[in-house]
Amino acid sequence: MTRLVAFAAGVLAALVLAAGCATLPDAGPVHTRRTAEGSPGEEAPYFAPPGPRSDDSPEEIVAGYLTAMQANPPSTAVARKFLTRVARDTWSPNQGTLVYDARTITDRGDRVLVRFSDVHRLDARGGWLGGPPGRTTTTAFRMVREDGEWRIANPPDALAVPASYFASLFVPFDLYFFDQTRSVLVPDRIYVPAGEQTATNLVRGLLLGPGRDLDRVTTTAFPSRTLLDLGVVVTDDGIAEIPLGTSVLKLSQVELGRALAQLAQTLQQVPGITRIRLTVDGAPVPLPGGRTDVSVSTGEDLDPGRAVRNPDPVAVHDGRVVRVVGDTTEPVPGPFGKRGYALRSVAADDSEGLIAAVTGNGHRVFVAGSAQGAPVRTAVTEAADLQRPVYDMFGTLWLLDRTARGARIILVEQRGTALHSRAVQVPGISGQALSAITVTADGTRLVATSASGADPVVMVSAVVRNDRGRVTDLLPARTVQMSGADLGPARDVGLSGPTTLALLTRPAGSSDRIVFVQIDGSPGGPEADPPDVVPSAAGELVVGPFLRMPLRVVTGDHHLLRLSDTGEWMRNKSGPVLAAAYPR
């Protein structure tokens, strides 16, 4: 708890001192603006869709309506022209988004059936709901005549766009919510159309709260039903003016500071915004410190990556644990820096200066500090086959024990001066044949990979904690499955950024590969790199959840490789290593 208490206290003190689905326009000019993070890979062409014609058949009206939702700049103004007068006033396309690969339209007289194939869905905020590969859905459009022309009477309250349009026009962003301890901000990825309404869409999404995967493990500083009054206006000098309802005036100074941190870190992603200002009924809201606006850097200290002091990995080398610094190694302080331990994997808790090490036979876990003469404590005994351990930001050590009956998840927690281990049940993960696990940097999600299958299968369980950071429950796992790539099962997994997973795979008859997938199963942005081929058989991944940590692997013949900025694999010259890990 030392890390949590110090981190939270410092952050809150600094804050007090310092300070729906994407909305598409119905009318008016909208200028597409690319964003620095996650902008579409190719510039989508301008497209002004035609409206309905007087002699259009019911099938042509529905086809025109679906085509009109592909306007660029994004707009629903033309799509509404295909609806009845009543439907135009009641249609709410911002309640969700349906993304499809193909569609088939069948005319049934006063009904037109549209079959969408390979469907994925987004919620009202733009959060990826996904779906099983190849899912299809059929929508029945009821057609009526108005003034002698066919119109749609029952449009679904959602956008329906092809995958190609989604890929070229929708941009990934992160909304930020607090974990249960209110000491760290947790990213929740959404997708919104590129354009000048990006800031408005992000704030509306933030006020709607976290998505289904995070709703039980995160919280928000905003009172329920906080409303955005009209849209966010960005001034010429980069201030985002955010008009909110009167409920924000009831926030305490601490809660107001937290709300500012959520807004600042969310809007920091929008180019051109440098500061934020809250208003109610046109008047600025007094902010902590007597200010009327704050920098978008507010809340940066709530990034769990900032608690990591030393980004250099630790490794098992020459019979001891070392720190890898460039092409050299330095023995870690404490007992593990000396020879004498047969180890096969390690983890480092940078905040507490702890090293956890699994013995060579996989039956035990030792934990030791960095002080001279620090004791070596036994955390787990009589395990079957312990895989690489991983620490979370709360100092909890997570272990995967692969037994004859399937996976067993073990937590090791420090209470006072003693270590306590306990097995926890994780629905959908415990008892399965697993290859590896990891935990997100913010400690909100446990990620596991299946040891079998033609393609990688990832299982994600939300981690419920109390306000002191202790794990109280793990929710049923959601499955993220990649299909059609014949990559083979994931042999290892790690976090390569806040929401990006790196998977080590070995396709049949091919070289090892590292593929990247979003933790929610969404397609990601242009930062989602294609598979990286590893030049030799890899034993494990060495990845860190913080972007300044370069991708590394330990090969089967015990070499440590690093992926350079130019995309080349560079061998570390310090000699063979049995295992390596970035500190948490």
Side-chain angles (χ1 to χ4, degrees):
M1 293 304 296
T2 303
R3 170 191 295 197
L4 172 60
V5 171
F7 192 37
V11 165
L12 290 180
L15 280 176
V16 171
L17 289 174
C21 165
T23 301
L24 296 183
D26 286 329
V30 178
H31 306 287
T32 301
R33 178 176 63 184
R34 298 300 182 211
T35 58
E37 289 193 16
S39 56
E42 296 182 4
E43 187 77 21
Y46 174 84
F47 176 52
R53 297 171 300 185
S54 60
D55 58 347
D56 277 346
S57 67
E59 182 178 349
E60 290 171 328
I61 288 293
V62 172
Y65 162 78
L66 294 172
T67 299
M69 282 191 275
Q70 302 173 41
N72 185 30
S75 171
T76 57
V78 175
R80 288 185 186 274
K81 296 179 180 180
F82 293 86
L83 310 180
T84 65
R85 283 185 286 270
V86 171
R88 289 175 202 167
D89 295 334
T90 59
W91 185 43
S92 183
N94 301 316
Q95 297 305 305
T97 302
L98 182 148
V99 181
Y100 60 90
D101 269 358
R103 71 186 192 214
T104 302
I105 302 177
T106 304
D107 192 343
R108 295 288 177 85
D110 63 346
R111 292 278 195 281
V112 172
L113 303 183
V114 180
R115 184 177 183 269
F116 299 101
S117 62
D118 202 2
V119 170
H120 298 278
R121 296 181 184 274
L122 283 73
D123 64 20
R125 308 164 316 124
W128 187 262
L129 300 177
R135 183 172 70 175
T136 62
T137 185
T138 299
T139 300
F141 290 90
R142 183 165 57 88
M143 310 301 294
V144 300
R145 279 191 175 274
E146 273 191 354
D147 302 327
E149 299 181 12
W150 289 106
R151 293 293 183 266
I152 299 169
N154 65 333
D157 284 336
L159 293 175
V161 298
S164 57
Y165 179 87
F166 178 83
S168 62
L169 265 298
F170 280 65
V171 181
F173 288 92
D174 290 323
L175 305 178
Y176 285 90
F177 300 94
F178 278 94
D179 75 324
Q180 292 123 317
T181 68
R182 293 174 172 81
S183 64
V184 63
L185 284 172
V186 179
D188 188 7
R189 177 150 288 199
I190 66 168
Y191 293 79
V192 300
E196 291 187 344
Q197 296 200 46
T198 297
T200 296
N201 288 329
L202 294 179
V203 174
R204 283 180 175 159
L206 191 64
L207 296 179
L208 285 173
R212 64 177 185 179
D213 287 347
L214 294 175
D215 60 351
R216 284 192 56 189
V217 301
T218 58
T219 186
T220 180
F222 291 97
S224 61
R225 300 184 181 88
T226 300
L227 298 177
L228 178 65
D229 187 8
L230 299 177
V232 176
V233 175
V234 182
T235 66
D236 291 340
D237 52 355
I239 298 177
E241 296 185 347
I242 307 168
L244 298 176
T246 56
S247 61
V248 74
L249 298 175
K250 300 176 183 179
L251 292 175
S252 68
Q253 289 290 286
V254 170
E255 285 301 304
L256 183 57
R258 290 192 176 111
L260 288 170
Q262 288 182 249
L263 282 167
Q265 291 305 294
T266 297
L267 293 181
Q268 187 183 59
Q269 304 164 91
V270 182
I273 296 180
T274 58
R275 304 186 69 80
I276 58 174
R277 175 184 297 148
L278 308 185
T279 64
V280 173
D281 294 331
V285 174
L287 304 180
R291 302 182 180 184
T292 58
D293 55 70
V294 298
S295 170
V296 291
S297 64
T298 300
E300 284 185 342
D301 289 340
L302 292 159
D303 176 358
R306 292 180 178 269
V308 176
R309 296 188 297 266
N310 193 335
D312 295 320
V314 295
V316 178
H317 167 69
D318 196 21
R320 58 187 174 184
V321 179
V322 299
R323 182 84 66 172
V324 179
V325 182
D327 276 327
T328 64
T329 60
E330 303 170 357
V332 298
F336 285 139
K338 301 176 182 178
R339 293 183 179 88
Y341 292 92
L343 307 175
R344 77 184 203 184
S345 59
V346 293
D349 181 346
D350 190 67
S351 176
E352 301 295 336
L354 296 176
I355 298 288
V358 176
T359 57
N361 58 15
H363 296 341
R364 295 186 179 187
V365 175
F366 296 134
V367 175
S370 57
Q372 186 71 24
V376 177
R377 296 174 290 173
T378 303
V380 174
T381 60
E382 300 180 357
D385 184 21
L386 290 168
Q387 303 306 296
R388 182 189 55 218
V390 60
Y391 275 107
D392 65 27
M393 66 164 289
F394 300 97
T396 301
L397 184 67
W398 294 75
L399 298 163
L400 165 62
D401 185 17
R402 299 199 302 190
T403 75
R405 296 183 177 181
R408 189 167 68 115
I409 305 300
I410 303 171
L411 303 186
V412 179
E413 300 160 308
Q414 181 151 337
R415 303 179 195 170
T417 58
L419 293 177
H420 290 261
S421 65
R422 60 187 173 110
V424 293
Q425 280 297 119
V426 189
I429 290 179
S430 296
Q432 301 297 311
L434 301 182
S435 54
I437 65 168
T438 191
V439 181
T440 56
D442 49 51
T444 59
R445 282 158 287 187
L446 168 69
V447 179
T449 50
S450 173
S452 59
D455 290 298
V457 178
V458 178
M459 291 148 281
V460 182
S461 169
V463 180
V464 181
R465 301 177 186 267
N466 61 20
D467 57 4
R468 294 169 295 171
R470 188 171 187 269
V471 176
T472 59
D473 195 12
L474 287 109
L475 302 184
R478 171 182 53 81
T479 299
V480 177
Q481 185 166 1
M482 301 173 64
S483 62
D486 293 327
L487 293 169
R491 299 170 49 245
D492 199 3
V493 62
L495 267 294
S496 183
T499 61
T500 303
L501 299 173
L503 306 175
L504 175 64
T505 73
R506 182 172 294 169
S510 182
S511 301
D512 285 5
R513 289 176 176 263
I514 298 173
V515 296
F516 300 90
V517 61
Q518 292 301 306
I519 198 168
D520 60 358
S522 67
E527 78 280 6
D529 297 325
D532 280 307
V533 176
V534 183
S536 59
E540 67 176 16
L541 282 171
V542 186
V543 291
F546 316 119
L547 298 180
R548 65 180 181 274
M549 296 176 169
L551 177 65
R552 302 175 191 252
V553 296
V554 177
T555 64
D557 54 357
H558 309 309
H559 291 291
L560 182 62
L561 305 182
R562 175 179 59 85
L563 188 64
S564 71
D565 293 339
T566 60
E568 297 178 289
W569 288 99
M570 311 294 292
R571 179 181 294 185
N572 192 276
K573 300 177 182 178
S574 59
V577 300
L578 297 180
Y582 280 112
R584 289 286 190 103

